[in-house]
Amino acid sequence: MIEIKAARWEDCGQVAALIEQLEEMPIDKARFEAVYRANLSNPQIDYRTAWINGVLAGFLSVHIQNLLHHTSAIAEIEELVVDVRYRGQGVGKCLFDQAKKIAAQARCPQLECACNQRRTASHEFYKRQGMACRHYKFTLPLK
């Protein structure tokens, strides 16, 4: 059974390991911890964890922003990652459903998600959840 919980500071190290799976590279742990701690106390950011038999199986980050071009608050999935050992077992769907609930509770008319072009399996996952790809996201590295 999959159990969804609010993320806690004590989950930080395990969440960092999941983010490393998502990014497919090591992350700076000290910087990660600082951002994680700050975001846990931000009321516009909702972190959730998915557990199977006491093991962290997935992580979700939803950010709520008031956007002028929507003239309302919009929810965006910033991170949704499932541990490679638990993929294909419904964890991602449970986390996605939680993102929809978070958006609905915040009275957001839309849930968005930007996804790296190389993550084609993730694209298909989001399409199966009913999402459509209607935008491009442009980036410019500044370092």
Side-chain angles (χ1 to χ4, degrees):
M1 181 172 118
I2 301 165
E3 184 179 9
I4 304 296
K5 299 180 182 180
R8 305 167 306 141
W9 170 249
E10 295 79 14
D11 305 325
C12 183
Q14 293 177 83
V15 170
L18 287 176
I19 297 300
E20 287 182 332
Q21 284 186 30
L22 178 68
E23 292 299 314
E24 299 176 340
M25 63 179 8
I27 58 172
D28 182 310
K29 297 292 192 309
R31 289 175 55 192
F32 179 89
E33 288 176 2
V35 172
Y36 186 85
R37 183 180 296 279
N39 287 353
L40 278 177
S41 62
N42 184 334
Q44 300 305 113
I45 298 173
D46 199 321
Y47 285 170
R48 300 294 170 103
T49 52
W51 300 83
I52 297 177
N53 297 323
V55 177
L56 182 64
F59 174 75
L60 168 70
S61 170
V62 177
H63 295 222
I64 310 287
Q65 300 181 74
N66 289 308
L67 300 177
L68 293 173
H69 65 283
H70 285 287
T71 63
S72 67
I74 297 296
E76 182 168 4
I77 296 170
E78 293 295 336
E79 292 102 5
L80 192 163
V81 58
V82 175
D83 187 300
V84 293
R85 299 170 296 173
Y86 294 97
R87 292 183 185 163
Q89 298 181 35
V91 176
K93 172 121 177 62
C94 284
L95 288 170
F96 186 85
D97 289 347
Q98 187 66 48
K100 290 193 307 186
K101 288 178 187 174
I102 292 165
Q105 288 172 350
R107 300 187 189 278
C108 296
Q110 185 166 296
L111 177 61
E112 298 181 350
C113 179
C115 189
N116 192 296
Q117 291 179 3
R118 76 179 192 275
R119 296 188 183 118
T120 56
S122 296
H123 304 166
E124 295 307 313
F125 168 80
Y126 289 119
K127 287 177 187 176
R128 286 193 307 275
Q129 306 318 304
M131 297 189 94
C133 184
R134 295 191 179 114
H135 297 82
Y136 290 106
K137 182 173 186 173
F138 295 91
T139 61
L140 175 66
L142 298 175
K143 290 186 181 183

